[in-house]
Amino acid sequence: MRIICTLLLLVASISLFAESNIVDTAKYNFFPTEEEDSAIASSTHEKPSTYIKLPENLPSRWGFAVMAMPGNVVGPDKWSREWLQKHRTFSLAGELRYTPQPSDGDNFATDYNYPTFSIGFRYSFNHGTELQRIEKDYNSVLGDVATLYGKFSRPFWRNRHFEFAYYIGTGIGYSHKKYNKTDEVNNEFIGSIWNIYFTAGLTATYKIDREWSILAGVDFSHHSNGALYRPNKGTNYISPLVGVAYTPTSEKEHIIKDKPVLTPVDYSKGMFLEFSLGAGAKTLLEDWQYTQYSISPDDPRYHTTKFSVYGTYSLQSALLYRYARRWASGLSLDIFYSDYASKIKYIDDIQGRKDEKHSPWSVGLALKHEVYYGRFSARLGIGAYVYRHMGYAARHSEGPQWLYERIGLFYSIPALHGAAFGFNVLAHATKADFTELVISYPIKL
């Protein structure tokens, strides 16, 4: 998680300044129903009034790509970087790709310069990565990981032969190995078989002919369990990327060029309130540190692989401004309730830290940014606590714990007038603290 927020901010900056052909359309409701969608599409079809210049070398709707990524595993902090004895990794990936076309009449596709959506499978060969955390007569070998993922690739410049793009993606990974105290006690990177996957990167594509292209770039990928189990430092991969892509013949440019773009769904600018309720789960960093480093090796809990899962709950009240079809930004008041405060107090007390303060309630203020594509939205928040008392580790472990970051993916349901369902991962100093399921509802002002 340590590099993820930096990458997301970089991606947002590229999005803001990248070239795009934004269509200036009529203003409609913030979150139209399916009936309103039909009425908008009908009225726009009868009176088309907007024209755009289309890309010269747009990929066809369907295609595929295969890629190779020889790279390194990077430790998320100074301790894990010291444990890495070997850090080589190699990944292969295959993707089925879909690119919307101008004749679809999708203004989001136009705004994003006709992006590509992918479903992919990645296999990471990690037997070249070895760790030595404590004095043992062996090194722990990081397990291979198989990952199923979805990806969004947004071109920010293209001509007849070249295309430059950034991408982000997420998915689920299955690790062949995880931490255990028998033969994987050095592996503090991966603590569970199933893990959340995140990727981001930059690519350059050269079109050889109408169907085949070669591509190169740089890829960052991350596996961790979102604090749903311990250990959870996570695995970060940084790799060069090379590959080949196949896209069959695209729509004929002379037929679609300079035709009006229909608008089946649109959104108006303005302020709105967004209320969100979240319920999540986590294991405790304090529990991990206590059983790994603070108790006697004779204690049966020493180097345990069993950790209790605790609940956490949140309420967000955000004031946002929708200043473009793609983006909304604003401020959020965040209230948290954590039912594990008493457990943290118990761990602090038995270690002689009886002066520490503990409360299940926390309050924070955050900058919030949302990125939209149709019914989907990605959300990023960066905040600071104005009230939080979570004991010793919250003030001293793994970076400044008064800062927090939220990253999530949501889908709004037309029949519920914009109510959205999704998930967030909340992190401290870019290290996951808990994962939550969230329902949110917008109210236009």
Side-chain angles (χ1 to χ4, degrees), residues 361-437:
W361 294 97
S362 300
V363 180
L365 293 173
L367 297 173
K368 189 172 182 179
H369 182 65
E370 298 193 17
V371 180
Y372 299 90
Y373 194 106
R375 302 295 176 190
F376 287 94
S377 66
R379 302 180 182 180
L380 170 65
I382 300 177
Y385 293 105
V386 296
Y387 177 85
R388 187 172 190 248
H389 296 297
M390 275 292 169
Y392 180 83
R395 296 190 298 110
H396 297 283
S397 297
E398 300 186 333
Q401 297 285 298
W402 59 274
L403 288 173
Y404 63 92
E405 309 86 38
R406 251 195 179 109
I407 301 171
L409 181 65
F410 290 79
Y411 181 79
S412 63
I413 299 176
L416 299 180
H417 298 276
F421 298 85
F423 73 94
N424 281 323
V425 176
L426 186 137
H428 291 132
T430 68
K431 289 192 175 182
D433 187 63
F434 65 80
T435 302
E436 62 178 349
L437 297 176

Side-chain angles (χ1 to χ4, degrees), residues 282-352:
K282 64 171 290 182
T283 52
L284 297 182
L285 173 64
E286 293 85 353
D287 216 357
W288 164 262
Q289 292 177 331
Y290 178 65
T291 58
Q292 292 293 304
Y293 303 113
S294 298
I295 60 177
S296 167
D298 298 327
D299 193 306
R301 294 171 297 170
Y302 183 66
H303 287 175
T304 184
T305 58
K306 297 181 180 180
F307 297 94
S308 298
V309 179
Y310 299 89
T312 182
Y313 311 93
S314 68
L315 169 65
Q316 302 175 60
S317 176
L319 178 64
L320 301 169
Y321 180 65
R322 185 78 174 262
Y323 52 91
R325 187 167 26 243
R326 289 177 286 175
W327 299 311
S329 300
L331 296 173
S332 177
L333 173 65
D334 302 336
I335 301 174
F336 306 90
Y337 180 80
S338 307
D339 64 8
Y340 48 83
S342 58
K343 174 66 173 181
I344 294 176
K345 183 178 186 304
Y346 168 77
I347 294 175
D348 280 345
D349 286 349
I350 61 178
Q351 295 185 92

Side-chain angles (χ1 to χ4, degrees), residues 103-178:
S103 60
D104 296 338
D106 184 347
N107 279 342
F108 283 100
T110 308
D111 288 355
Y112 286 99
N113 204 13
Y114 297 96
T116 295
F117 300 89
S118 305
I119 295 177
F121 177 80
R122 172 175 177 154
Y123 195 93
S124 299
F125 300 88
N126 293 329
H127 48 268
T129 300
E130 296 183 8
L131 303 103
Q132 178 65 259
R133 181 172 67 93
I134 59 177
E135 291 298 328
K136 289 286 185 179
D137 57 0
Y138 66 88
N139 289 346
S140 295
V141 178
L142 196 65
D144 293 353
V145 183
T147 305
L148 183 66
Y149 64 89
K151 193 169 79 175
F152 172 86
S153 179
R154 197 271 195 195
F156 52 86
W157 187 86
R158 61 156 64 94
N159 63 16
R160 287 189 176 276
H161 293 287
F162 287 97
E163 177 182 287
F164 296 92
Y166 68 82
Y167 64 82
I168 57 173
T170 188
I172 298 294
Y174 177 87
S175 177
H176 289 268
K177 289 185 178 182
K178 66 181 182 68

Side-chain angles (χ1 to χ4, degrees), residues 3-25:
I3 310 175
I4 290 178
C5 290
T6 303
L7 285 170
L8 285 176
L9 289 172
L10 175 62
V11 166
S13 299
I14 294 174
S15 298
L16 284 170
F17 294 105
E19 175 188 359
S20 63
N21 300 313
I22 299 177
V23 180
D24 184 16
T25 57

Side-chain angles (χ1 to χ4, degrees), residues 267-278:
Y267 300 83
S268 61
K269 296 181 180 180
M271 302 289 295
F272 66 101
L273 289 170
E274 187 173 71
F275 296 98
S276 303
L277 287 172

